[in-house]
């Protein structure tokens, strides 16, 4: 069963989301506060995607996201943001979210985002079989979907893993932001290119020796990014 956690304090919005996800074939677990969401996640380890409202009584959605990521790097996280400020989107992504949906959203938009994230968090497993990509100091294990740098495990989200895999499969090749978006988020994704930049920023913090002067993920100005020199 495809399980989604819905964290939203406003009951009418929560039931709107739940009804539409159920109609799309998802099982939903509901929470009205961040604290409740964290408890329910622990009780339901099979939850694959979490929708987190930002503005909540008690701890906010960003803090919930941060705490989920401290326990689990694999779960897909979509922030539900009422405000349209760019900073909110970027803050959410930097705390570990994979995507965001701005309120008010249509049922079709929401389920499309959840579907896309489900495909990314689970759908690829069958294709990758027992292979490893080794490009010192990095070792990418395609079966376990894990990355090591100098033998040390680097904890990645599913999106970050998808980006590293794309880079390591195309060393030295300049990849446009559109290509990265298509390969990692899927061709049917209708988000913004900026999401690529924010994820790369987060990834650099995790894998570069000096994130302000990156040597592994290089910027190709006005175009995109390149893995290695
Ligand atoms: Ca709220």
């Amino acid at each position: 069963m495809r399980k989604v956690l819905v964290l939203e304090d406003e009951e009418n919005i929560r039931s709107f989301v739940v009804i539409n996800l159920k109609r799309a074939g998802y099982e939903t677990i509901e929470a009205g506060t961040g604290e409740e969401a964290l408890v329910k996640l622990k009780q339901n380890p099979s939850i694959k995607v979490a929708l987190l409202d930002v503005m909540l009584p008690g701890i906010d959605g960003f803090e919930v996201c941060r705490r989920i990521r401290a326990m689990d790097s694999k779960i897909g996280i979509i922030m539900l943001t009422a405000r349209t400020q760019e900073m909110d989107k970027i803050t959410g992504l930097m705390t570990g979210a994979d995507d965001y949906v701005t309120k008010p959203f249509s049922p079709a938009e929401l389920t499309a985002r959840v579907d896309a994230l489900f495909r990314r968090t689970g759908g690829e497993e069958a294709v990758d079989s027992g292979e490893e990509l080794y490009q010192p100091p990095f070792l990418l294990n395609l079966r376990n979907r894990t990355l090591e740098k100098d033998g040390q495990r680097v904890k990645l989200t599913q999106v970050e893993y998808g980006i590293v895999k794309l880079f390591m499969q195309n060393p030295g090749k300049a990849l446009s932001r559109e290509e990265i978006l298509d390969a990692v988020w899927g061709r049917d994704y209708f988000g913004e290119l900026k999401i690529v930049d924010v994820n790369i920023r987060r990834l650099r913090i995790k894998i570069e020796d000096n994130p302000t002067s990156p040597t592994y993920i290089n910027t190709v100005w006005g175009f995109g990014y390149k893995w290695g020199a």
Side-chain angles (χ1 to χ4, degrees):
M1 195 66 192
R2 306 188 301 164
K3 263 190 213 175
V4 181
L5 175 86
V6 181
L7 167 58
E8 168 64 73
D9 59 315
E10 283 162 73
E11 264 188 65
N12 55 337
I13 301 178
R14 192 169 73 231
S15 49
F16 169 80
V17 169
V18 164
I19 287 166
N20 284 291
L21 288 176
K22 282 186 174 161
R23 202 171 282 159
Y26 291 102
E27 183 183 337
T28 54
I29 309 283
E30 298 178 47
T33 65
E35 291 82 353
E36 191 188 346
L38 292 167
V39 170
K40 294 214 164 155
L41 270 174
K42 278 195 185 137
Q43 292 168 343
N44 295 278
S46 58
I47 292 173
K48 288 270 167 39
V49 168
L51 300 179
L52 308 178
D53 183 31
V54 174
M55 298 289 282
L56 296 164
I59 58 172
D60 70 9
F62 296 138
E63 181 57 27
V64 176
C65 181
R66 221 171 272 127
R67 292 191 195 178
I68 293 175
R69 278 290 176 250
M71 308 183 286
D72 182 346
S73 57
K74 304 268 174 180
I75 189 169
I77 299 178
I78 300 175
M79 305 301 296
L80 303 177
T81 165
R83 294 162 295 178
T84 51
Q85 278 101 340
E86 294 307 304
M87 270 322 289
D88 267 10
K89 298 175 179 177
I90 292 171
T91 306
L93 293 169
M94 290 306 283
T95 55
D98 298 294
D99 203 353
Y100 51 81
V101 176
T102 306
K103 294 180 199 170
F105 45 79
S106 70
E109 182 184 8
L110 182 73
T111 48
R113 298 295 183 89
V114 174
D115 288 347
L117 200 49
F118 253 94
R119 272 198 301 279
R120 287 207 303 279
T121 53
E124 253 187 299
E125 239 114 20
V127 181
D128 297 329
S129 57
E131 271 177 82
E132 287 183 338
L133 292 174
Y134 184 51
Q135 286 159 28
F138 297 104
L139 175 67
L140 189 72
N141 185 312
L142 300 178
R143 189 173 49 198
N144 301 334
R145 301 166 72 85
T146 54
L147 178 72
E148 288 179 8
K149 179 183 178 188
D150 288 322
Q152 298 287 317
R153 176 80 166 269
V154 182
K155 277 193 167 181
L156 299 180
T157 66
Q158 292 297 328
V159 166
E160 291 163 350
Y161 168 84
I163 296 172
V164 170
K165 184 179 154 198
L166 179 69
F167 278 140
M168 290 182 73
Q169 287 172 332
N170 295 280
K173 185 185 172 199
L175 298 166
S176 71
R177 294 149 85 224
E178 289 84 355
E179 272 176 90
I180 298 170
L181 194 72
D182 278 355
V184 177
W185 279 263
R187 283 185 187 282
D188 52 354
Y189 178 79
F190 47 100
E192 301 160 62
L193 280 175
K194 195 178 335 89
I195 201 172
V196 174
D197 302 317
V198 178
N199 270 279
I200 294 225
R201 210 162 95 201
R202 199 171 68 204
L203 196 49
R204 277 175 169 159
I205 293 168
K206 293 189 179 182
I207 68 168
E208 293 285 351
D209 303 327
N210 178 3
T212 56
S213 154
T215 55
Y216 303 116
I217 304 175
N218 292 292
T219 300
V220 182
W221 293 107
F223 184 73
Y225 297 94
K226 189 172 70 165
W227 181 249

